[in-house]
Amino acid sequence: MPVLMGGMSQIASRPNPYDLVCRYTGADPEPRGLPSGHMPYSFSLPFGAFLQKNSGHYSGATFTTFLPPKELRWKLEDAVGTETARLILEGQRRVTTTCGSGMTAGILWLGLKLINETTPVALYDEVRDTPVMAWTIR
């Protein structure tokens, strides 16, 4: 499994499977007019993989919640592999969640904390550090 230099994993959030295949691989253009593709050695994990739809018992209204921690772990393992997931969750492999704006990366950050609250997870501050923008305008 690929990892960033220094034993760090990058997990990029993409909103849907279409983006996962086309924008992440660079097959489709980035809608913001930037170069398409992904940061080298990163993994893609759509934020929706951590969520589930529910409906109210009485009203029938739908709402979204996180999956249970065990299922969150399975989704992480599907994205990065069992061994890399173990290393991330045990704090032996640093991880940073990213996305284009920082919003959906926050869902991944919280999902990782729900699996194991002691897992060290960094969330790039897109406003201050602009990692995705900095990488794409390289």
Side-chain angles (χ1 to χ4, degrees), residues 18-29:
Y18 176 80
D19 280 348
L20 171 66
V21 174
C22 298
R23 284 177 57 202
Y24 184 78
T25 63
D28 276 357

Side-chain angles (χ1 to χ4, degrees), residues 67-124:
L67 292 168
K70 182 186 265 187
E71 292 179 41
L72 291 172
R73 184 180 182 123
W74 294 338
K75 296 292 184 176
L76 177 64
E77 289 174 351
D78 286 346
V80 304
T82 304
E83 180 62 13
T84 300
R86 182 188 67 75
L87 293 172
I88 289 169
L89 296 172
E90 292 177 358
Q92 297 177 38
R93 166 106 9 110
R94 295 178 316 190
V95 66
T96 301
T97 60
T98 67
C99 68
S101 67
M103 298 299 290
T104 58
I107 294 171
L108 296 179
W109 181 92
L110 182 54
L112 292 170
K113 290 295 191 175
L114 290 171
I115 297 170
N116 178 0
E117 67 183 62
T118 64
T119 297
V121 183
L123 172 66
Y124 252 97

Side-chain angles (χ1 to χ4, degrees), residues 19-88:
D19 280 348
L20 171 66
V21 174
C22 298
R23 284 177 57 202
Y24 184 78
T25 63
D28 276 357
E30 176 66 36
R32 297 172 287 179
L34 301 168
S36 59
H38 61 276
M39 288 181 250
Y41 309 107
S42 66
F43 300 95
S44 182
L45 177 57
F47 73 92
F50 275 7
L51 304 175
Q52 64 184 349
K53 290 189 186 279
N54 304 279
S55 60
H57 295 291
Y58 301 107
S59 68
T62 60
F63 58 96
T64 304
T65 60
F66 279 92
L67 292 168
K70 182 186 265 187
E71 292 179 41
L72 291 172
R73 184 180 182 123
W74 294 338
K75 296 292 184 176
L76 177 64
E77 289 174 351
D78 286 346
V80 304
T82 304
E83 180 62 13
T84 300
R86 182 188 67 75
L87 293 172
I88 289 169

